[in-house]
Structures are given as C-alpha cells and as structure tokens.
Amino acid sequence: MPSSKGYAATNAKSPLAQINFRRRSPGPHDIVVDILYCGVCHTDLHQARDEWGGSRYPMVPGHEIIGRVSSVGDAVIKFKPGQIAAIGVIVDSCRKCPSCAIGEEHYCDEGPTETYNSLDRIDGSVTMGGYSNNYVVDERFAHTVPENLSLPGVAPLLCAGITTYSPLRHWRVGPGAKVGIVGLGGLGHVALKFAHSFGAHVVQFTTSPGKKADALRLGADEVVLSTDDAAMRAHTKSFDFILDTVSGSHSLDPYLALLKRDRTMTLVGVPQQPPGYSVFSLIGRRASISGSMIGGMPETQQMLEYCGQHNITADVEVIPIQKINEAFERLLKQDVRYRFVIDMSTLS
Ligand code: NAP
Ligand code: ZN
C-alpha cells in the first residue's frame, strides 16, 4: 500500500495539520477507496481533543466517508473498481459473538474496530480516519450508495444518519407518536428528517432561536426553545419518545418531565460532562433513560436504501480540508447548518 496523507491532531491541544502515514496492505476481502468526501462529526472534535480519554496520536479523524473504489481483492463480491462506496464508524469486529452474528457488529462483545483511533485487527496498527486521501476496508464494513443521492449529503448519513435512524426504528417511532428531538446539529437535523418521514408528530428542542425557521423547514411540527421554561412546561407528560443529540453539558430533568408514563428518553449525544438528572424525574412516571450507538452493517445499508427511496440527505456546508480547524471552532459555537463535509479533492 503506498503512503497515505491526511489531516491529523498530534496532541489534545494541537490544530489539525497534514501528515503522511501508512495503511495496512489490502487483503483478498479488502477494497481500497479513494476518498471524495468526509463529514465532520462532533465525535471527531471530542476525540481529537481527548475529551473522552483514550485518544491515540497522531489521530486522523473522520468516519463519514464517501469514496470511489480504486481496487478490490480477489475475494471481493460486492464492489468493482470505479464504484462509489461508503464507510462509517466501524471497520471490523470479532464476527462471531451473538451481536456480530445478527449484524449488530457495533455491539461486538470484543468491541468493534473503529474507523480511527482503534487498533487494526489484522496488523495491529492504529486506524486512521477519513480526513485523508484513501482507506482500506473489508467489504463487509463498506456500503453501496443509492445512485440518486448527492454524494456530499450522503456522507453524514454514515454516522449522523444511522445513529438517529437506529433508535427511532428500535423505539418504533411512527404515526400517532409525539417525538422530541433535542439539539439541532448534525445528528439532530437528520433525526428530525427521519422522525418526520416516519410519520410522527415531531417537536424540535433547541437552544438557538435562530434555528427555528430551519427546524420547521426540515420537518418539525413544533419548535420549542429549551431555555423558555413556560414553553417547556406546556408539553409536560405528553411525549412518547425523546432523542437527545446534545454534545454539550446539560440536564435531562426538563426533558424527562415531558415524557408520558412508561416512556423512554434515548441519549445518543456524548458530552464530555455526563448529563445529570434527578431520580425523582424517573420514579414519578416509571420513565427510562437509554442509550444507543450508531447501527450495524445491515441496518446501515437499509438506512441508505430508505434515504434513496425518500430522497433524504444531510444539509451540508462543503469545506476545503484547510478549513477544518475553523470548522471545529464553529461546531463549538453551534454555528453549522447542519453538517460540515470536507471536499477531499482539496487535500494536496
Ligand atoms: P453538533 O453538530 O455540534 O450538534 C450538537 C447540538 O447540540 C448543537 O447544534 C446544539 O443544538 C446542541 N448543544 C450543544 N451544546 C449544548 C449545550 N451545552 N446545551 C444544550 N444544547 C447544546 O454535534 P453532532 O455531530 O450532532 O454530535 C452530537 C453528539 O452526538 C456528540 O456528543 C457526538 O459525539 C455524539 N455522537 C454519538 C454517536 C453515537 O453513536 N451515540 C454518534 C455520533 C455522534 P441547538 O443549537 O439546537 O441547541
Ligand atoms: Zn460520528
């Protein structure tokens, strides 16, 4: 495998800068992908800055990858050179535990191999993500892309898309359900599109008054400014399901107060400071808090097909790779409408 290049953090405080590195040699089941686009997930920022602990440097982030297949191994059946392929948050797993056996590889008992900041199961190297020119991946962990969708808008579906599609499906969000989406960022805006498309009555919660018109355009039936206590109280005990996509510190209590009896609030956002709640918010209505992480390979492909059928993509701002540090700062200021996507042709 020839040398690769990408943008890397070299420690928790450094801006990202260009480096050269090596990927593992492609095997018979691997495809090599020339990367066209990579989405910028808030997880990239959390990990580049070691906000969750366990970061390995240098780190090339990026797990919302769209690329063109440049070569395939002898045993590859799903892809041919020249075809578009998509790679998400995980690139390998043990493949034999109960979760892997049913296509829930992201819940692998041994822990899945992540697209970056993980140890490659084949050669032990540290995986490097999609802010780079190419990727080597087993075809089992790559997806085909419906031809009618615009590629920059597909990239975020590989993380933001599946991370919200999966819990909305698991908790059977559909017609007749009143559903809340907390936070209108990368994950939140795709969650809103899915919940609306599934036929639910969707209420978007936001801390940003300037996002109200966008939320309505993206499919919200109602928009609530979460800083407005009276507006929040007006929805007390009325929700069937709430999905929390927030990346920063916040309390769950104001949202738990909005659930009907026996309902669930699912957390997908992973703030550095874990969100707090009072036990009283749960016991008064037998409420549950749950969590959900991305989705398995079959469900990710199913989500992409659903998006193809319903013409769903992310709303994106395409940036050159040279603007990635600025994009991170803008993410922190909640200043993205609604996902940055890097045009990788700008990497020289
Ligand atoms: P993002 O684009 O930055 O969006 C996060 C949104 O949360 C912001 O736009 C803002 O929405 C709201 N927010 C931010 N700080 C807040 C605070 N202190 N209080 C209240 N609201 C706040 O981030 P993202 O890429 O969607 O990622 C969101 C989170 O999900 C991150 O923690 C990320 O690591 C995590 N994640 C988890 C998974 C998983 O598998 N579970 C997968 C991907 C990402 P408003 O302006 O509308 O208030
Ligand atoms: Zn992500």
Side-chain angles (χ1 to χ4, degrees), residues 284-317:
R285 67 202 62 191
R286 201 158 48 197
S288 304
I289 299 172
S290 64
S292 186
M293 190 180 80
I294 48 169
M297 296 306 103
E299 193 176 34
T300 303
Q301 189 66 54
Q302 187 192 97
M303 179 270 312
L304 287 167
E305 303 304 331
Y306 182 89
C307 289
Q309 284 151 17
H310 295 83
N311 216 14
I312 293 174
T313 51
D315 286 24
V316 301
E317 177 178 338

Side-chain angles (χ1 to χ4, degrees), residues 42-43 46 184 186-187 206-208 211 268 270 294 334 339:
H42 207 114
T43 296
H46 289 310
L184 189 60
L187 267 58
T206 180
T207 60
S208 306
K211 294 181 181 174
V268 289
V270 191
I294 48 169
Q334 307 177 15
R339 193 59 134 190

Side-chain angles (χ1 to χ4, degrees), residues 32-332:
V32 183
V33 171
D34 288 336
I35 299 178
L36 300 171
Y37 297 102
C38 185
V40 178
C41 180
H42 207 114
T43 296
D44 300 344
L45 188 157
H46 289 310
Q47 298 217 89
R49 299 187 177 177
D50 201 20
E51 292 180 1
W52 296 342
S55 291
R56 298 176 170 97
Y57 299 102
M59 178 194 297
V60 176
H63 57 206
E64 295 183 337
I65 299 170
I66 296 291
R68 194 175 293 284
V69 177
S70 61
S71 63
V72 301
D74 290 344
V76 167
I77 48 176
K78 209 162 70 179
F79 293 97
K80 292 193 169 38
Q83 200 175 333
I84 296 294
I87 305 165
V89 179
I90 67 169
V91 290
D92 208 350
S93 68
C94 83
R95 307 177 186 209
K96 44 184 198 294
C97 74
S99 295
C100 287
I102 59 160
E104 302 254 39
E105 300 93 341
H106 53 308
Y107 297 132
C108 173
D109 285 352
E110 291 182 10
T113 307
E114 298 192 0
T115 307
Y116 65 89
N117 196 41
S118 256
L119 295 181
D120 188 293
R121 280 181 147 80
I122 294 169
D123 72 356
S125 63
V126 175
T127 56
M128 299 287 207
Y131 296 4
S132 61
N133 62 332
N134 57 24
Y135 208 95
V136 176
V137 65
D138 186 311
E139 66 165 340
R140 173 172 170 166
F141 293 86
H143 308 281
T144 56
V145 174
E147 284 181 5
N148 58 315
L149 298 178
S150 149
L151 293 181
V154 174
L157 300 177
L158 276 302
C159 175
I162 186 61
T163 299
T164 53
Y165 180 94
S166 184
L168 291 170
R169 284 299 199 208
H170 181 80
W171 295 100
R172 298 194 165 79
V173 163
K178 180 174 172 182
V179 172
I181 307 294
V182 188
L184 189 60
L187 267 58
H189 91 287
V190 187
L192 174 53
K193 290 188 185 197
F194 282 138
H196 172 72
S197 169
F198 297 166
H201 179 92
V202 194
V203 180
Q204 178 68 50
F205 295 97
T206 180
T207 60
S208 306
K211 294 181 181 174
K212 191 168 179 184
D214 280 347
L216 294 169
R217 173 179 61 80
L218 293 165
D221 295 286
E222 300 177 61
V223 185
V224 173
L225 205 56
S226 51
T227 47
D228 178 342
D229 291 343
M232 291 291 281
R233 273 198 305 276
H235 289 272
T236 299
K237 296 188 183 175
S238 66
F239 278 85
D240 294 291
F241 181 71
I242 298 178
L243 185 67
D244 183 339
T245 74
V246 169
S247 56
S249 165
H250 65 297
S251 166
L252 303 187
D253 290 325
Y255 302 102
L256 292 170
L258 308 187
L259 289 175
K260 291 179 190 166
R261 174 176 45 79
D262 285 331
R263 298 303 202 273
T264 296
M265 174 165 182
T266 292
L267 312 182
V268 289
V270 191
Q272 184 175 16
Q273 298 293 333
Y277 64 92
S278 159
V279 175
F280 289 108
S281 300
L282 299 175
I283 63 175
R285 67 202 62 191
R286 201 158 48 197
S288 304
I289 299 172
S290 64
S292 186
M293 190 180 80
I294 48 169
M297 296 306 103
E299 193 176 34
T300 303
Q301 189 66 54
Q302 187 192 97
M303 179 270 312
L304 287 167
E305 303 304 331
Y306 182 89
C307 289
Q309 284 151 17
H310 295 83
N311 216 14
I312 293 174
T313 51
D315 286 24
V316 301
E317 177 178 338
V318 177
I319 58 166
I321 185 89
Q322 293 76 12
K323 290 239 163 123
I324 184 59
N325 293 303
E326 195 183 305
F328 272 13
E329 293 310 315
R330 284 181 57 195
L331 259 192
L332 284 176

